[in-house]
Amino acid sequence: MSDPILSDGFTDVPHGKIVCVVTNLEMWARPDMTVLPAPPGVRLRHVSDPDPDWYRVLFRRVGENWLWHDRLECDDVGLAQIIADPAVAVYAVEIEGVDQGLLELDFREADTCEIAYFGIAAPLSGQGIGRWLMSEAIDRAWAKPIRRFWVHTCTLDDPSAVRFYMRNGFVPFRMQIEMTDDPRLKGILSPDAAPFVPRV
């Protein structure tokens, strides 16, 4: 087993950077579960050829408070290469005619599906929409001939995210440290995004 890259104790984070702990989780068999009915006024819509501008608006609506930023840094060509790939399935959670949630399933690795993005707009949390969306994600992923279904989350996400994934059948298998430029300081996200994460 190789030595850890970081030694025990504190490590200074350079100015302008943010750091999080990433938890990777997986499942190797479809769990015994029933797909939940959609809450009233809610539906999941497959977007077969996502427009990059539409995608960015929804991505920001769902993820800005959690500092989602990588897709916002892609140009139109780079973003389209991902979200228009036939092996990537993009879904919008439509609530009373407005797109308020995002599910993205990535089948580009053989025999595998990754939840690339999963979330709903913050004002809608606590209404059971997330549990329903996860049941849809599990059902749609295992409807394909996969052997492994996985996801990663981090300490910038909702604090209950790891427990949520574990309750739905995922098992942690790896932890990582990720450091990146603070997207608020780069102007990619609002300076007021994720006030729980200090800007240094």
Side-chain angles (χ1 to χ4, degrees):
M1 183 174 179
S2 61
D3 294 330
I5 295 174
L6 296 177
S7 59
D8 290 351
F10 293 97
T11 300
D12 286 343
V13 177
H15 289 289
K17 298 285 187 178
I18 53 174
V19 175
C20 63
V21 178
V22 179
T23 301
N24 297 264
L25 306 98
E26 63 186 356
M27 62 172 72
W28 287 87
R30 183 181 185 131
D32 183 13
M33 54 154 279
T34 302
V35 179
L36 299 175
V42 180
R43 76 180 185 107
L44 189 61
R45 188 180 81 253
H46 179 228
V47 184
S48 58
D49 188 17
D51 175 77
D53 288 336
W54 167 86
Y55 181 92
R56 290 188 188 98
V57 169
L58 182 57
F59 186 91
R60 187 184 296 273
R61 181 177 298 149
V62 172
E64 183 162 31
N65 196 52
W66 312 114
L67 298 184
W68 292 8
H69 63 93
D70 57 335
R71 296 288 174 80
L72 301 177
E73 299 187 53
C74 296
D75 60 20
D76 283 356
V77 173
L79 181 56
Q81 285 179 340
I82 299 170
I83 61 177
D85 190 302
V88 174
V90 175
Y91 299 90
V93 178
E94 186 179 302
I95 302 176
E96 296 182 351
V98 179
D99 293 334
Q100 298 276 25
L102 175 64
L103 170 63
E104 186 175 324
L105 300 176
D106 187 340
F107 295 91
R108 289 178 293 177
E109 182 181 344
D111 302 321
T112 299
C113 178
E114 177 190 3
I115 297 180
Y117 288 99
F118 176 99
I120 56 173
L124 301 169
S125 63
Q127 300 180 30
I129 298 172
R131 289 189 297 112
W132 160 75
L133 183 58
M134 178 53 67
S135 76
E136 288 282 355
I138 292 170
D139 184 60
R140 290 166 191 258
W142 287 104
K144 303 285 188 179
I146 64 169
R147 296 181 57 250
R148 176 175 177 258
F149 189 27
W150 76 284
V151 64
H152 71 269
T153 185
C154 73
T155 48
L156 297 178
D157 285 333
D158 189 299
S160 65
V162 171
R163 293 193 306 274
F164 173 79
Y165 287 124
M166 291 177 68
R167 283 198 306 270
N168 283 280
F170 290 92
V171 177
F173 70 94
R174 181 175 62 194
M175 297 184 74
Q176 299 167 294
I177 301 293
E178 180 181 20
M179 180 165 61
T180 187
D181 292 335
D182 189 329
R184 298 167 297 184
L185 298 179
K186 295 173 68 178
I188 296 167
L189 296 177
S190 164
D192 299 324
F196 58 93
V197 180
R199 289 181 289 154
V200 179

